[in-house]
Amino acid sequence: APKTSPEVQTLQEDVTTLKQTIEALKAPKTSPEVQTLQEDVTTLKQTIEALKAPKTLPEVQTLQADVTTLKQTIEALKASSTPPTTSPEEIFFLPEQQGVFITNERTKIPAQIKQALNVSGIEKYLAANPSDASKKFQKLLSNHTRDVKKFVDKLRLSEPDESELSEVITTNYFKLFHRTIFDNMLVAIQRGLKGSEKFYRGLLGEVNKYLSRCGIYSVNLKSGKQAETDDYENITPQIVKTDDEALSGTISAVERLPYRINYLDEFGEQKFLQYAGVASIYKAV
């Protein structure tokens, strides 16, 4: 009976190892590309079954090339199935604004406020990604721009003293973002990321650009660390009971980051207004 050459035997052992690796890759994944990965694995499995048939010596070189290709494909599969390391809080984070958005200069204030009416980036994204979720966000955005327009139309810059303009106008301007953007849109995006990451990440990118353009930034709050005094001042804590003393006082999850905007007080000093974030904190019981 014909004997298997050492080269073929070694290659067949490589094929067996590759098959085991691919079976491991077939385990359930949270990546949105699961279906594509499973189709790739099925194709690879069929290829390996064909490669397992007895080979003659002239076929050794071809078999070696096939094994090399399989190894490269598996490395690509591993890379594409690795979940992102970025934490949810990091993709919401907005860098601190160094200056004041609304100053005490009356003539410049209307133009600054009207920037909040420019939501074209978000509108285009939602229109390009139609779905039931997209329709809900379009409605929220419409409510927000309606409120901004009312604010602009009713703006009376002659009433506050010049030294109070920045603080008074900024306070009312910042409130426009509380209910619709902070309480609804951002929270909905944060929850939606768990199910349809591609759509919600894209939407968040547009919302983040819009908020930054409107003079708004966030506090860098992260889950998994011990809550400090400043953290409690920046959030509304939601208590999560635990019997593990080691976890007590640790931030378990961030529902919404704290958001801020700068202004000038009556003495011309830069201060900030803050809309508190929401986070869950473990408490040992």
Side-chain angles (χ1 to χ4, degrees), residues 104 164-172 263-266 273:
N104 285 324
E164 299 176 345
L165 272 172
S166 178
E167 182 172 359
V168 172
I169 303 301
T170 301
T171 299
N172 293 322
Y263 71 93
L264 295 175
D265 67 11
E266 59 182 318
L273 298 170

Side-chain angles (χ1 to χ4, degrees), residues 201-272:
R201 269 192 179 244
L203 176 57
L204 178 60
E206 293 298 332
V207 174
N208 280 347
K209 285 188 285 187
Y210 168 70
L211 291 175
S212 293
R213 192 170 63 249
C214 291
I216 295 169
Y217 60 98
S218 68
V219 177
N220 193 11
L221 182 68
K222 293 183 179 180
S223 58
K225 76 177 190 71
Q226 195 75 11
E228 301 175 1
T229 302
D230 288 347
D231 294 322
Y232 284 104
E233 293 176 354
N234 295 332
I235 63 170
T236 299
Q238 308 291 327
I239 302 302
V240 178
K241 296 180 180 179
T242 179
D243 55 5
D244 187 348
E245 287 285 349
L247 284 176
S248 188
T250 301
I251 300 173
S252 66
V254 177
E255 180 83 352
R256 186 190 65 235
L257 290 174
Y259 285 89
R260 294 176 175 176
I261 190 170
N262 297 331
Y263 71 93
L264 295 175
D265 67 11
E266 59 182 318
F267 303 107
E269 295 182 3
Q270 181 171 306
K271 301 290 179 66
F272 64 82

Side-chain angles (χ1 to χ4, degrees), residues 6-61:
E7 292 89 350
V8 171
Q9 185 175 356
T10 300
L11 288 168
Q12 287 177 336
E13 290 174 356
D14 285 344
V15 167
T16 300
T17 301
L18 289 168
K19 183 178 178 181
Q20 293 171 345
T21 303
I22 288 176
E23 288 299 322
L25 283 171
K26 289 175 67 178
K29 297 177 174 59
T30 57
S31 167
E33 296 130 344
V34 167
Q35 185 175 356
T36 301
L37 289 174
Q38 289 176 337
E39 292 172 355
D40 290 339
V41 167
T42 299
T43 302
L44 286 169
K45 187 175 180 181
Q46 293 170 347
T47 303
I48 286 177
E49 289 302 321
L51 287 171
K52 287 176 67 178
K55 304 294 176 187
T56 60
L57 288 177
E59 296 176 292
V60 169
Q61 189 172 0

